[in-house]
Amino acid sequence: MPAISRVDTSFLARWWRNVDRVTLSCVCILIGFGYVLMLAASPAVATRIGASRDMFILKQVVFLTLAGLIVVATSLLSPRGIRRLALAGFVLATAATALTLVHGIEIKGARRWIALPMMSVQPSEFLKPCFAVVTAWLLTERRYRRLLPGMPIALGLFAVILLLLKSQPDIGMLSVITTVFMAQLFIDGLNIFFVGAGAGCMVAAFLGAYVAFPHVRSRVERFLHPNVGDHYQIDTALRAFGNGGLMGRGPGEGRVKDLLPDAHADFVFAVAGEEFGMLVCLFIISVFCLIVVRTLLKLLREDDPFIVVATVGLITGFGLQAFVNMGSTLHLIPTKGMTLPFISYGGSSAMSVALTIGMVLALTRHRMGESRIPRGRSSFAARKATA
């Protein structure tokens, strides 16, 4: 990490001293793995579909470069700037998600993407971080504006998202956003009775999805009954981990990328296991865990309820996405097409995850010259004292 003199009072110098450099370093490590694993996995996939061997590599270089810039640019914002960005992003992402129902690209029976020149965009990816921040603002601002119906508005926005994602359908994305929302309600101080009721509703919704959507039922039944149905992808992925062993077969020596259609995306973790071994996979897992745990520990010293609730929602979505991808690949949960943050191929995923981490870094950044609210004193009281 470059050293910056403490006498340097420029904006970037203050940002560098106050940003969480450990989390920023972890993001750089994950982006580095994204480059390496794309070099390993994508040429075989591109050749199999008749495209140029370098097509996915070149695109992912652009995606990850933009993702790195988004992380840095977003982390420069103030909490007020994050709120404004999230509100604008939420409006645009919601409108674009609704547009997919009319003009979206249908893939495997689902309309989740909008075609753009040179790429397709999944707008619902951007709902996750923007909804988390907007919800946090609504839930916490009602402490200062008694007439603001923050909870009803947040529930209304969630209902809109539920209807849109159910119509696509995208049950996996809906599950992640629901979990984020429930975590935020719990952190905000929702009565434990209502938390239990919400958990019960989630179980009921899952059972409803199991009955209503054949692809959900198929994935659950294949997970519960390994001897029934087609398990080609999971069996191939698990065999890749076995072939890799402790140290891996070596870069470029894996075979799973020649067999799995999504080896560069949903099953990139299996490529890492076969070519680089269990130790590298454990290291990747530890990097994700470090980002999540370190962020939550930093919140223990935070007194602004908006920052706490927003950051909990953002980091919950980030950690859950990583868990779902790796858990699906390892057959710990039913398969779900969800990318591994900063590592799997995908422009929408890379941009939305970069926005998420940039918001986390911005909200947890220590701001020199700003008074800290003493423990035990509410943010509302502090505002009145300084008014």
Side-chain angles (χ1 to χ4, degrees):
M1 289 295 179
I4 294 180
S5 171
R6 291 198 172 272
V7 299
D8 187 348
T9 59
S10 65
F11 179 73
L12 288 177
R14 293 198 308 272
W15 168 82
W16 178 251
R17 285 195 293 266
N18 300 329
V19 76
D20 186 351
R21 294 194 292 272
V22 174
T23 298
L24 195 59
S25 299
C26 289
V27 171
C28 292
I29 290 172
L30 293 177
I31 289 177
F33 273 113
Y35 282 124
V36 172
L37 288 173
M38 205 50 49
L39 288 171
S42 66
V45 178
T47 301
R48 190 162 55 246
I49 64 175
S52 168
R53 284 178 55 87
D54 298 331
M55 182 186 72
F56 291 119
I57 297 174
L58 295 176
K59 284 187 175 182
Q60 192 68 352
V61 166
V62 175
F63 294 152
L64 291 178
T65 301
L66 289 175
L69 294 175
I70 290 174
V71 169
V72 174
T74 307
S75 69
L76 294 169
L77 297 176
S78 65
R80 178 174 296 180
I82 293 296
R83 286 197 296 266
R84 291 173 176 173
L85 175 63
L87 181 59
F90 179 78
V91 172
L92 292 174
T94 302
T97 301
L99 185 62
T100 61
L101 303 179
V102 181
H103 297 291
I105 305 172
E106 183 172 342
I107 301 178
K108 298 179 181 179
R111 290 183 175 272
R112 304 171 188 170
W113 297 268
I114 294 177
L116 295 178
M118 303 296 294
M119 64 178 294
S120 59
V121 176
Q122 185 177 353
S124 60
E125 285 281 359
F126 298 92
L127 281 175
K128 288 185 294 183
C130 295
F131 176 72
V133 175
V134 171
T135 301
W137 178 77
L138 289 170
L139 294 177
T140 57
E141 191 67 15
R142 59 197 172 109
R143 291 178 171 86
Y144 318 125
R145 302 181 185 180
R146 299 298 181 182
L147 298 180
L148 177 67
M151 178 68 78
I153 295 176
L155 290 173
L157 295 179
F158 175 71
V160 170
I161 293 175
L162 188 152
L163 291 174
L164 289 175
L165 295 182
K166 174 183 175 296
S167 301
Q168 286 188 333
D170 192 349
I171 303 304
M173 183 68 69
L174 179 57
S175 299
V176 171
I177 292 179
T178 301
T179 304
V180 167
F181 188 41
M182 291 299 298
Q184 290 184 297
L185 291 176
F186 177 73
I187 292 297
D188 188 52
L190 186 66
N191 187 286
I192 191 65
F193 171 79
F194 294 107
V195 174
C201 291
M202 289 179 64
V203 173
F206 173 77
L207 294 176
Y210 176 82
V211 173
F213 298 103
H215 71 282
V216 174
R217 183 165 58 252
S218 174
R219 289 176 178 177
V220 173
E221 290 178 350
R222 281 181 292 170
F223 175 75
L224 296 176
H225 306 288
N227 297 324
V228 177
D230 180 17
H231 294 81
Y232 172 75
Q233 293 196 97
I234 287 297
D235 290 342
T236 304
L238 292 177
R239 190 163 60 249
F241 286 108
N243 293 340
L246 190 65
M247 304 298 294
R249 301 182 61 170
E253 298 300 320
R255 294 293 174 264
V256 67
K257 59 196 177 188
D258 299 321
L259 304 174
L260 287 179
D262 294 323
H264 63 316
D266 298 344
F267 286 92
V268 72
F269 196 55
V271 177
E274 185 175 30
E275 299 199 359
F276 300 98
M278 184 183 72
L279 292 180
V280 169
C281 288
L282 290 176
F283 178 73
I284 293 174
I285 294 173
S286 69
V287 173
F288 282 111
C289 290
L290 179 58
I291 292 175
V292 174
V293 173
R294 182 175 175 83
T295 299
L296 294 177
L297 289 177
K298 287 177 73 67
L299 294 180
L300 296 177
R301 301 189 298 272
E302 182 57 61
D303 296 293
D304 187 330
F306 164 71
I307 291 178
V308 172
V309 177
T311 306
V312 164
L314 291 167
I315 206 65
T316 298
F318 174 80
L320 187 59
Q321 180 174 338
F323 170 77
V324 168
N325 178 276
M326 293 184 287
S328 298
T329 305
L330 292 167
H331 201 45
L332 299 177
I333 59 175
T335 56
K336 172 64 187 83
M338 194 167 288
T339 57
L340 189 59
F342 294 118
I343 295 180
S344 294
Y345 173 81
S348 297
S349 173
M351 301 301 109
S352 67
V353 171
L355 185 63
T356 299
I357 293 300
M359 288 179 170
V360 168
L361 290 173
L363 293 173
T364 58
R365 179 163 53 90
H366 176 65
R367 291 165 183 84
M368 297 183 66
E370 295 183 9
S371 59
R372 304 294 295 172
I373 303 169
R375 286 190 178 277
R377 188 180 183 187
S378 70
S379 300
F380 180 63
R383 290 188 185 187
K384 291 180 65 177
T386 56

